[in-house]
Amino acid sequence: MKLANRSMVTIDDLSNGEVLALFSLADEMSISMKEQHGLCGGKIMASLFFEPSTRTRLSFEAAMHRLGGSVITASDVGATSLAKGESIADMARVVGSYADIIVIRHPWEGAAKVVADYAGIPVINAGDGGHQHPTQTLCDLFTLKKERGTIKGLKIALWGDLKYGRTTHSLIFALAKFGADILFCPSPGLEVPEHVIDKLITEYGGEVEHYKDSEVEEETLFPLDAVYTTPSSPHQLAMMPDISLHVELKSGVDALYVTRPQKERFTTGEEGKDLKKEYPVVDKKLLRDKAFRQTLVMHPLPRVDELAYDVDADKRSMYFKQAARGVPVRMALLALLLGVKDVKIPEVESPSPIDYHIYNRVSGLRCPNSRCVSIQETETKYLKPEFKIVNYEPLTLRCVYCEHGIEPKFVASADWHEGKLDTKKYHSADSHWVHTIKPENLIVFNTEEEARAHGFKPSHFTGGHR
Ligand code: NCD
């Protein structure tokens, strides 16, 4: 499959083979940076950064300049028509008519998907709220691959703010896809969100083990929330339920992936907490432990207090290399999506995306995530809520934009019995009806009021929800 004219909204948009092909091209380009100037002559990249950025924006812009292309830019919502109430779709259509490729960073989760749906040109997600940051993940994987030769089988500990750190969300899925083991070391209260764990389990067949503090207090160096391990062929795991490798931090890890507290996304309650006291710090002293003898210290940057400056001189520190590698990695990505370079995609194992049934009926269901693009006032005029039906027990829908999950309480069928109005009934989502109704006929409601408002009456199976 060719990469030309495609977008990169989430890390799922590239197969493992495509990622490896991109890395070969990035390697090739990094050896002869100055010789790439002829590749993108006449091409324009629109760089739209509506959240602060240093590395991502400048490395994308440097990459386009190195390829001989031009850059147009908007970096402040206040200075664009978005501030006048323009929708993201309208902006995307317009910018899509000015440029050949768009790179967008936006605080709303799922915003990059909307841009990709409407721009008509390739779109790259440079971070959409706390959702994903797939190109940072490419830089992270590229570094792992260069330093360790492979990603499969590595043990990577993710450290710090795993709740709002979008780089960790993309990285979790990528590591799972490549068959690495992941250890979660969150700062208390900033654990990996449920919807990320759910996707890890349903889409990548991951197994998550939770450790209670009491079980591991003596064993580990710091509180370990959960261990996730992948089998050698991740996409098979769903059919192999007994795979469970027990990995502990004390047995050594290949990389510690440190992140800063994403304070800009904290809720009011979280802001009030004294995070500094609880947030784990990586410093020279910690790295003296024998478990970390061979450990790469990674960080997407910027750092605040979670990574001491005394680690910088250590040869295990990788963060400035990760940042520097952003240019060749992004050059390769731009060249491939713009179709000015072609690569041979190696045939490697890669989990194939699951073809979920899409739910997009107007039944009052909205994404529960207040940061989701699909529920913002300017966007609801044209965006229909859309979900993937990812599970029937319990019935779980996943927003196609921000990927948060929702478990609706009631179900009904659009094809009610004999078409008679008095058979137009709704049922509890945990009754047998959820399996009886065909996915294409499924209607879901969060409350009985919603079901009644749509003309449905309660059946005998509204259970405890009545
Ligand atoms: C990250 C981001 O913006 O998510 N920075 C980056 O792009 N390298 C990480 C962060 O801001 O903490």
Side-chain angles (χ1 to χ4, degrees), residues 52 55-56 105 133 136 166-167 260 262 264-265 300-302:
R55 269 150 296 275
T56 310
R105 172 171 288 189
H133 189 350
Q136 178 62 46
R166 56 189 170 203
T167 65
R260 74 176 168 95
Q262 310 280 306
E264 66 275 33
R265 289 192 262 283
L301 299 177

Side-chain angles (χ1 to χ4, degrees), residues 220-283:
T220 55
L221 297 151
F222 42 78
L224 181 61
D225 179 66
V227 175
Y228 165 71
T229 57
T230 58
S232 44
S233 48
H235 57 303
Q236 294 288 322
L237 215 164
M239 288 164 274
M240 299 156 68
D242 61 348
I243 292 174
S244 165
L245 274 167
H246 211 83
V247 186
E248 284 174 13
L249 198 52
K250 70 183 168 79
S251 63
V253 286
D254 293 286
L256 264 186
Y257 189 89
V258 189
T259 57
R260 74 176 168 95
Q262 310 280 306
K263 288 194 178 149
E264 66 275 33
R265 289 192 262 283
F266 282 3
T267 58
T268 331
E270 287 162 342
E271 267 167 8
K273 281 193 195 155
D274 189 2
L275 260 162
K276 250 192 165 167
K277 244 198 281 163
E278 295 184 320
Y279 209 90
V281 174
V282 172
D283 55 15

Side-chain angles (χ1 to χ4, degrees), residues 198-213:
D198 276 354
K199 184 170 164 184
L200 202 50
I201 295 169
T202 54
E203 221 132 302
Y204 299 99
E207 246 185 51
V208 179
E209 294 183 18
H210 288 276
Y211 287 79
K212 291 208 183 69
D213 273 0

Side-chain angles (χ1 to χ4, degrees), residues 155-180:
K155 263 188 269 170
I156 314 293
L158 304 183
W159 182 283
D161 185 349
L162 309 189
K163 182 174 181 182
Y164 297 115
R166 56 189 170 203
T167 65
T168 60
H169 301 160
S170 303
L171 186 57
I172 286 171
F173 299 131
L175 291 173
K177 244 163 87 156
F178 276 96

Side-chain angles (χ1 to χ4, degrees), residues 187-200:
S187 178
L190 298 173
E191 288 82 13
V192 183
E194 210 180 304
H195 67 274
V196 174
I197 301 270
D198 276 354
K199 184 170 164 184
L200 202 50

